[in-house]
Amino acid sequence: MKRRSMRRRVGVIMGGSSSELSAGHAVAEALSARGHEVVQLSLGESYGPDLASVVQKARIDVAFLALSGRMGEDGCVQGLLELLRIPYTGSSVLASALAMDKLKAKEMFRLHNVPTPPYYTVSEDADLTDLEGMHGSFGYPAIVKPRGEGSSQGVSRVTNLAELRAALEQAFEYDDIALVERFVTGVEINVAILDGQVLGSVEVATPKAMLEDPGAELVKVELSPQRERGVQNLAERAARALGCTGAVRVDLLVTAGENEYVLEVNTLPALSPDGLLARAAAAKGYDFSELCEAVLDGAKLNQPARRKTPVETLSAGSYRANAAAPVAMMKSVG
């Protein structure tokens, strides 16, 4: 599939682990080969207060986000780019924040009838002397996660009360609220979506959340075509529930009992030549550079531009007069 957009000065903003930086470099090389003027902005693991000046000095037309974790995926960098009026790839500030916040994401899933494993939350300042009573009949195994971290940071699988207590303490090192989620036995399926359209789905042969392995082995999904379509449809619904756009990865569990559960939505999946998105896109006719171009084409600002003519501000007196008018009308009607 041949795609070529106009030549632009692109800032590939990257940060996180060495594998994530490697993916960012691959994107930069691909876009450069397609004729764009590329600036690589490597932010490391700490973005710092001078990020705005770094981005401004780079004088970029558009930002390609190759970030991971807090600040990168949770809407903070996106908010900065909105203020600087620099279009960027991926989801909006709100969608990014919702997807990164595991509790809010689950609440949105439930609101939109998207099935997700049962859960409850524990606050860092909660009294854990009766943790057994708090956990009640929830059962084991269970998964403990920090509320606002990446997919593998601070995640534990627990099988008894002692492990639960230790896992909560570990989760509180990352966040002041932990999510305790029911363990569901099933196959993990990752679905790749680009601009609202499913590219494909693969099975994760090793559970990366437990192994903390960003290079988890991916294999062809062994599902009937009808059920795979159902899983992909569920992934689309999950992404829409959070308002995600651009390149998205949805992680789901598929059980032997014909049930599917959404685990999470990743708004900035790593874009590497041998990753999920690239493999799925290849099946749709994209090579890696064309995929990067397609993601770049979706870059935009999600907040409307400032009005050219400021809205007239009411004075305190006129506000009181206007506010009182409906009340007077109600009294006259009564």
Side-chain angles (χ1 to χ4, degrees):
M1 182 176 295
K2 302 298 181 185
R3 301 179 63 115
R4 187 171 294 278
S5 59
M6 65 177 186
R7 185 177 186 273
R8 288 182 279 183
R9 184 172 170 84
V10 182
V12 179
I13 304 179
M14 63 188 83
S17 68
S18 59
S19 62
E20 289 153 352
L21 291 173
S22 176
H25 294 319
V27 169
E29 291 175 7
L31 293 177
S32 180
R34 293 183 68 84
H36 295 287
E37 183 182 359
V38 178
V39 181
Q40 297 187 45
L41 303 176
S42 181
L43 306 178
E45 295 186 358
S46 178
Y47 304 151
D50 59 345
L51 175 58
S53 62
V54 170
V55 173
Q56 286 180 304
K57 289 177 182 177
R59 305 185 69 83
I60 58 177
D61 300 317
V62 60
F64 193 113
L65 300 185
L67 298 165
S68 178
R70 287 183 184 268
M71 306 299 290
E73 290 182 78
D74 61 5
C76 291
V77 170
Q78 291 83 349
L80 172 64
L81 293 169
E82 291 282 353
L83 291 173
L84 297 177
R85 308 307 293 166
I86 298 173
Y88 55 93
T89 60
S91 296
S92 68
V93 175
L94 177 59
S96 299
L98 286 173
M100 190 68 172
D101 187 323
K102 292 180 172 62
L103 174 58
K104 290 302 175 185
K106 279 182 170 287
E107 290 175 353
M108 293 300 293
F109 293 156
R110 294 175 67 180
L111 180 64
H112 290 267
N113 296 315
V114 173
T116 188
Y119 67 96
Y120 67 90
T121 60
V122 181
S123 174
E124 185 175 18
D125 57 9
D127 182 2
L128 299 183
T129 54
D130 187 26
L131 181 58
E132 184 174 12
M134 183 185 299
H135 191 70
S137 59
F138 196 78
Y140 298 99
I143 304 296
V144 179
K145 308 174 179 180
R147 173 178 174 173
E149 272 294 343
S151 58
S152 62
Q153 295 292 321
V155 178
S156 304
R157 180 177 183 271
V158 301
T159 59
N160 56 54
L161 186 64
E163 291 178 357
L164 174 60
R165 190 180 301 277
L168 288 172
E169 292 176 356
Q170 176 181 313
F172 293 147
E173 294 178 5
Y174 295 88
D175 203 297
D176 57 3
I177 294 179
L179 208 70
V180 181
E181 186 178 75
R182 181 163 295 156
F183 178 80
V184 175
T185 301
V187 175
E188 183 176 336
I189 304 293
N190 290 172
V191 178
I193 299 175
L194 178 62
D195 297 331
Q197 300 297 315
V198 171
L199 293 177
S201 49
V202 295
E203 177 183 333
V204 181
T206 51
K208 63 182 182 303
M210 296 299 97
L211 299 179
E212 300 187 10
D213 177 14
E217 182 185 357
L218 305 176
V219 298
K220 188 177 184 302
V221 174
E222 297 294 338
L223 297 175
S224 68
Q226 181 179 3
R227 192 170 188 197
E228 185 172 9
R229 285 194 297 272
V231 169
Q232 293 176 350
N233 177 262
L234 179 57
E236 288 180 300
R237 287 171 52 204
R240 286 199 302 270
L242 301 180
C244 299
T245 54
V248 177
R249 189 193 78 230
V250 183
D251 301 344
L252 308 93
L253 282 174
V254 176
T255 73
E258 300 296 315
N259 293 316
E260 290 91 31
Y261 300 92
V262 173
L263 294 176
E264 63 178 284
V265 177
N266 188 318
T267 56
L268 287 178
L271 198 57
S272 58
D274 60 348
L276 164 63
L277 281 171
R279 294 189 200 184
K284 295 289 187 180
Y286 294 83
D287 65 25
F288 182 67
S289 68
E290 289 167 345
L291 173 60
C292 293
E293 188 85 66
V295 174
L296 180 65
D297 283 346
K300 63 180 180 178
L301 289 167
N302 293 277
Q303 296 298 318
R306 184 181 301 164
R307 294 174 182 267
K308 293 182 180 179
T309 304
V311 177
E312 181 179 354
T313 303
L314 293 173
S315 66
S318 62
Y319 174 78
R320 285 192 293 271
N322 281 277
V327 177
M329 183 181 297
M330 290 174 65
K331 288 180 178 179
S332 64
V333 171

